Amino acid sequence: MLGFLKQPVVVTAEINVNLVALTVMGLVNRLWALSYPRAVVFDEVYYGQFVSLYMKRIFFVDDSGPPFGHMLLAFGGYLGGFDGNFLWNRIGAEYNMNVPIWSLRLLPALTGALCVPLAYQILVELHFSHCAAFGAALLILFENSLITQSRLMLLESVLIFFILLAILSYLKFYNLQKCSPFTAGWWFWLLLTGVACSCAVGVKYMGLFTYMLLLAIAGVHSWHLIGDQTLSNVSVLCHLLARGLALVVVPVAMYLFFFYVHLTLLYRSGPHDQIMTSAFQASLEGGLARITHGQPLEVAYGSQITLRNVLGKPMPCWLHSHKSTYPIRYENGRGSSHQQQVTCYPFKDVNNWWIVKDPGMQQLVVSNPPRPVRHGHIVQLVHGITTRYLNTHDVAAPLSPHSQEISCYIDYNISMPAQNLWRVTIPLLQEIVNRELDTDVWKTILSEVRFVHVNTSAVLKLSGASLPEWGYRQLEIIGEKLSKGYHQSMLWNVEEHRYGKSQEQKEREVELHSPTQADISKNLSFMARFTELQWKILTLKNEDTEHKYSSSPLDWITMDTNIAYWFHPISGAQIHLIGNVLTWASANVATLVYVCLFLWYLLRRRRKICDIPEDAWRLWVSAGGFCVGGWAVNYLPFFMMEKTLFLYHYLPALTFQILLIPVVLQHLTDHLCRYPGHPTGCSAVLISGDGGSEMMGFIVPAAALPSGTLHYVPSVVTLPCLPEGHGENYSVNASTEPGKVNCSPV
């Protein structure tokens, strides 16, 4: 039973010395003196703010992309014991001892170092020589721009790492597909492809370009798989389902997981949550959640409320009124109603309070039991401080003459009676989101409602225009007469809410000044918070201003630009983002050579002229799909972007271009420089068959013997290139194997 102990246990391992050496060189190259300089360098001032907010668990919104990259940087700060206490206010500010700058820069440096062995492995998996792979890795290792970007607290090196990891994983999977599908290794590399793609997209949305490229390549391979007659229908279906799971379901699940962690970590209210809806703000600790703690859920007749516009642009604001009236005549000579002004005010204020009144009753308090307001009910909105009713007439708004003026009605004893009835409507979308039995009840924070004027059908809307001095620069509120759809500027939600108890005006004013005491017992679900945050990230646009170091995509390929990252005021030491001129020029030449050769081969093959063997052609196309395709999808979309662009946006595309340099060099060496002085193109030959029949064959440049058994298609025999000293006439004899002929030189 213990006989196996009689023999020694032997473990053998294969070590790729090239790979080990490249990894070590990459780590030394990226990690050496990583803490220098101990000062804020360029966009570290931007990412450092988010790291501090993570450390303090304060919610923020970054319109540049998803949160995974920020979380990785914050993880580096966590490993270094960073508490978030540093003022990231200017480039060049010296880091104090509280900031573990080595840890903060560690993950970008590690991912930048690992890009070197990844580049080597990618070319090996593409079936190029180890010499070509080693050359590609060295070019990545010593590229100035990649070194600079990976030694700072920036995200480009992290993005490139996950992009290359996704490419390598797919190549590993594809190569295993040919010999051992559905094995553990096959599943590992396929799933890792999906995980790496989701991580790339999670770092920056630029990762989406490479993800789309891989999906397209996987789609082509799947199409070929469907046409493989050796596979059963069940086998083909299993292959397609496996790819769908790994390349679609897994990335989507991972992407949602990034946001789940992000929202779990950032549970405290902060300066950025003002752009979110009231329901989202109420889900955060502090801020609005503290203000609205314990308030009633259902809005009833007699409720005292503040109404926040859902749009939040140009800034969050609340329906507001004050004792000032519209001027009798505006600057352009148009007249107004001279009624009390109604605006949207971007600050908390007692004049933001309104009372929901039943038009058929005089009381301004909540009855017992409360009578909730439902979808379709008609209400009057009474301004809490001035007790005037929200009103609109067929009078042009001050800044939007095609819309109606919104006011609080003052009775001037003229022929302009009050028109102050409003119908509360809850849009269908909100009903679907909050699908419950009591869906049509107007709810605090959770419901987004429209107010439709009963007499004119105008909808209460925020125009976004800023009023002149007579309106205290507050935002204009209008009645939109031609309303199509449910634009967010027409939607309002109750943010603060209490049940009114005081009928007397003086007592009511005291009540309005006091804080609310209530609690929204129902929190937003993760999917509701994710959907809102994702929408804000995609639609929130900061005002792009021209930067002194911004550039256009055309400047990148010629390297006619650079970025000054840091300057030491005393020693004069500087850090610039600039590339290696020789590498960038070689990459551009390699891309041009590849495209020209590809088109040349393609045209010749269309004419049944094969300049290179079939295996070499497939390798050439595959390398181009990944390298040239990777460059194109990561470069060309920037021509359509209306945002401030910088040189570092080109680095992912440049990485693919660098991989193409040894690919083109090896191809030129193997196929265009092998027989100097002899034609390497295809030439037509006439070959004689038995019985006097003739067939046309074509010579291809391959180092093979001019005789042997060859596959052919009707009327075409593919023959190898003739070595020196052989003629061009062949005798063709029928082979015993179908679809083949025996050829021998005459």
Side-chain angles (χ1 to χ4, degrees):
M1 183 176 179
L2 300 178
F4 71 92
L5 294 178
K6 296 178 181 179
Q7 299 294 330
V9 178
V10 179
V11 177
T12 60
E14 292 184 1
I15 299 177
N16 189 329
V17 178
N18 286 354
L19 200 59
V20 173
L22 288 169
T23 304
V24 172
M25 287 191 292
L27 291 172
V28 172
N29 180 282
R30 263 60 170 182
L31 295 177
W32 185 268
L34 189 61
S35 297
Y36 180 82
R38 282 199 63 86
V40 179
V41 179
F42 201 63
D43 273 353
E44 286 186 343
V45 71
Y46 174 73
Y47 293 113
Q49 297 176 31
F50 299 135
V51 172
S52 289
L53 292 173
Y54 269 114
M55 296 299 104
K56 297 177 180 180
R57 305 292 190 265
I58 296 176
F59 175 78
F60 67 86
V61 179
D62 177 22
D63 64 332
S64 68
F68 182 56
H70 302 320
M71 287 193 289
L72 288 178
L73 297 180
F75 180 66
Y78 173 78
L79 294 177
F82 184 43
D83 59 6
N85 290 320
F86 182 78
L87 188 60
W88 308 85
N89 59 350
R90 64 181 180 88
I91 298 174
E94 294 289 331
Y95 289 120
N96 55 39
M97 298 309 296
N98 177 55
V99 181
I101 188 57
W102 192 88
S103 296
L104 288 169
R105 292 173 178 170
L106 176 61
L107 285 177
L110 283 177
T111 52
L114 293 176
C115 287
V116 178
L118 284 178
Y120 175 88
Q121 285 288 87
I122 286 173
L123 259 67
V124 170
E125 292 299 323
L126 281 170
H127 305 298
F128 286 88
S129 68
H130 287 271
C131 180
F134 196 81
L138 288 179
L139 290 172
I140 296 290
L141 176 66
F142 294 115
E143 169 52 37
N144 307 6
S145 56
L146 297 179
I147 295 173
T148 302
Q149 205 71 11
S150 62
R151 289 177 55 84
L152 301 170
M153 189 176 57
L154 305 173
L155 289 179
E156 276 66 36
S157 62
V158 182
L159 172 64
I160 294 171
F161 167 77
F162 284 117
I163 286 175
L164 294 182
L165 180 61
I167 296 292
L168 175 62
S169 300
Y170 185 82
L171 287 171
K172 290 270 191 183
F173 151 76
Y174 181 70
N175 290 333
L176 283 173
Q177 166 71 29
K178 303 172 184 177
C179 55
S180 51
F182 296 107
T183 58
W186 185 89
W187 275 109
F188 173 79
W189 291 112
L190 178 58
L191 290 172
L192 186 57
T193 303
V195 171
C197 286
S198 63
C199 289
V201 176
V203 171
K204 282 194 170 186
Y205 282 129
M206 288 170 58
L208 193 63
F209 302 147
T210 304
Y211 178 44
M212 292 293 105
L213 173 67
L214 278 177
L215 284 181
I217 293 174
V220 172
H221 290 164
S222 298
W223 183 253
H224 292 160
L225 203 67
I226 294 173
D228 189 349
Q229 297 298 319
T230 63
L231 297 176
S232 66
N233 292 340
V234 174
S235 180
V236 170
L237 180 61
C238 290
H239 276 287
L240 297 179
L241 290 177
R243 286 159 173 76
L245 171 67
L247 300 182
V248 178
V249 177
V250 168
V252 170
M254 287 284 295
Y255 187 77
L256 291 173
F257 177 72
F258 297 150
F259 276 89
Y260 180 81
V261 175
H262 175 74
L263 292 171
T264 301
L265 291 175
L266 306 183
Y267 59 86
R268 291 176 178 159
S269 175
H272 290 190
D273 60 349
Q274 290 297 317
I275 65 173
M276 310 303 290
T277 64
S278 301
F280 193 103
Q281 293 182 52
S283 68
L284 300 172
E285 181 182 292
L288 185 62
R290 175 177 51 81
I291 296 173
T292 60
H293 179 71
Q295 63 186 16
L297 178 61
E298 296 183 350
V299 177
Y301 291 108
S303 287
Q304 299 170 356
I305 61 174
T306 63
L307 290 166
R308 184 180 188 265
N309 189 264
V310 172
L311 180 63
K313 293 179 181 179
M315 61 190 73
C317 62
W318 292 261
L319 189 65
H320 175 95
S321 187
H322 39 245
K323 293 184 177 179
S324 300
T325 59
Y326 290 107
I328 297 177
R329 290 202 175 275
Y330 300 124
E331 291 83 349
N332 58 9
R334 289 190 298 110
S336 76
S337 65
H338 198 45
Q339 301 283 334
Q340 182 172 300
Q341 296 176 17
V342 173
T343 64
C344 205
Y345 189 52
F347 302 99
K348 303 281 187 181
D349 188 83
V350 69
N351 282 309
N352 297 345
W353 283 93
W354 300 81
I355 302 171
V356 181
K357 179 182 176 296
D358 184 346
M361 304 180 67
Q362 292 301 316
Q363 64 181 33
L364 296 178
V365 295
V366 176
S367 60
N368 190 15
R371 294 186 299 123
V373 180
R374 298 179 180 273
H375 170 72
H377 282 193
I378 295 177
V379 300
Q380 292 173 313
L381 292 177
V382 183
H383 188 241
I385 296 299
T386 63
T387 67
R388 293 199 169 108
Y389 290 62
L390 187 70
N391 184 82
T392 185
H393 287 98
D394 192 13
V395 176
L399 302 180
S400 306
H402 296 292
S403 301
Q404 290 182 192
E405 173 194 273
I406 301 294
S407 62
C408 279
Y409 182 73
I410 302 174
D411 189 0
Y412 289 120
N413 291 320
I414 57 176
S415 58
M416 185 181 282
Q419 296 183 3
N420 51 31
L421 300 179
W422 300 85
R423 179 177 288 106
V424 177
T425 63
I426 304 176
L428 180 61
L429 176 63
Q430 188 67 17
E431 294 178 23
I432 294 173
V433 171
N434 297 326
R435 177 65 68 184
E436 297 175 356
L437 294 177
D438 56 348
T439 266
D440 62 342
V441 175
W442 184 9
K443 296 177 182 177
T444 306
I445 290 181
L446 301 177
S447 296
E448 297 175 353
V449 304
R450 295 198 316 168
F451 295 98
V452 181
H453 192 238
V454 173
N455 298 82
T456 63
S457 298
V459 179
L460 190 69
K461 178 182 178 181
L462 169 67
S463 75
S466 181
L467 294 170
E469 288 294 337
W470 54 259
Y472 308 102
R473 300 294 178 185
Q474 296 173 17
L475 301 180
E476 181 191 39
I477 294 293
I478 61 174
E480 183 67 60
K481 288 185 285 189
L482 298 176
S483 170
K484 295 182 180 180
Y486 296 99
H487 192 269
Q488 286 186 322
S489 60
M490 302 177 183
L491 299 178
W492 304 83
N493 71 274
V494 174
E495 191 169 87
E496 296 179 71
H497 176 210
R498 65 165 67 87
Y499 282 166
K501 301 176 182 178
S502 304
Q503 184 68 29
E504 295 295 328
Q505 175 62 15
K506 289 185 178 180
E507 295 177 1
R508 188 163 55 244
E509 288 186 17
V510 173
E511 192 175 47
L512 292 172
H513 280 88
S514 63
T516 55
Q517 300 289 331
D519 190 10
I520 300 300
S521 58
K522 179 177 178 179
N523 293 323
L524 283 182
S525 66
F526 162 70
M527 285 306 299
R529 299 171 73 203
F530 162 75
T531 303
E532 180 176 342
L533 179 56
Q534 179 66 86
W535 180 250
K536 289 293 183 184
I537 290 174
L538 294 176
T539 58
L540 183 64
K541 292 183 179 180
N542 291 326
E543 292 185 7
D544 290 330
T545 56
E546 190 68 24
H547 193 282
K548 62 187 292 188
Y549 292 114
S550 63
S551 53
S552 71
L554 288 177
D555 296 328
W556 301 342
I557 55 175
T558 59
M559 210 172 66
D560 191 23
T561 182
N562 73 92
I563 304 175
Y565 271 3
W566 173 77
F567 174 78
H568 195 281
I570 299 176
S571 66
Q574 299 182 44
I575 296 177
H576 282 254
L577 180 67
I578 190 169
N580 185 309
V581 177
L582 181 61
T583 302
W584 288 49
S586 301
N588 291 332
V589 171
T591 305
L592 183 61
V593 169
Y594 179 90
V595 172
C596 291
L597 279 177
F598 176 80
L599 294 175
W600 171 255
Y601 291 154
L602 196 63
L603 289 172
R604 302 264 292 176
R605 288 175 70 85
R606 188 64 179 166
R607 299 293 299 169
K608 307 299 182 184
I609 305 173
C610 305
D611 297 281
I612 56 177
E614 193 65 27
D615 288 346
W617 167 251
R618 284 196 295 266
L619 182 61
W620 185 244
V621 173
S622 177
F626 285 101
C627 297
V628 178
W631 169 78
V633 299
N634 283 284
Y635 174 59
L636 299 180
F638 287 104
F639 284 96
M640 297 178 287
M641 292 186 183
E642 297 180 359
K643 59 177 289 186
T644 305
L645 300 175
F646 296 92
L647 181 62
Y648 56 73
H649 286 119
Y650 186 59
L651 296 184
L654 173 69
T655 304
F656 283 101
Q657 262 196 316
I658 291 175
L659 295 180
L660 190 64
I661 296 175
V663 168
V664 171
L665 287 176
Q666 180 174 328
H667 180 82
L668 294 176
T669 303
D670 290 350
H671 301 289
L672 301 185
C673 304
R674 172 164 289 189
Y675 302 111
H678 290 80
T680 58
C682 298
S683 56
V685 297
L686 187 65
I687 51 180
S688 302
D690 292 340
S693 61
E694 296 180 348
M695 290 194 296
M696 181 68 71
F698 296 94
I699 301 173
V700 297
L705 294 175
S707 61
T709 302
L710 303 172
H711 289 271
Y712 75 101
V713 295
S715 302
V716 175
V717 180
T718 303
L719 300 175
C721 238
L722 296 175
E724 186 176 0
H726 289 270
E728 294 183 341
N729 293 321
Y730 280 77
S731 172
V732 181
N733 298 301
S735 171
T736 56
E737 299 181 55
K740 298 182 179 180
V741 293
N742 291 324
C743 301
S744 57
V746 176

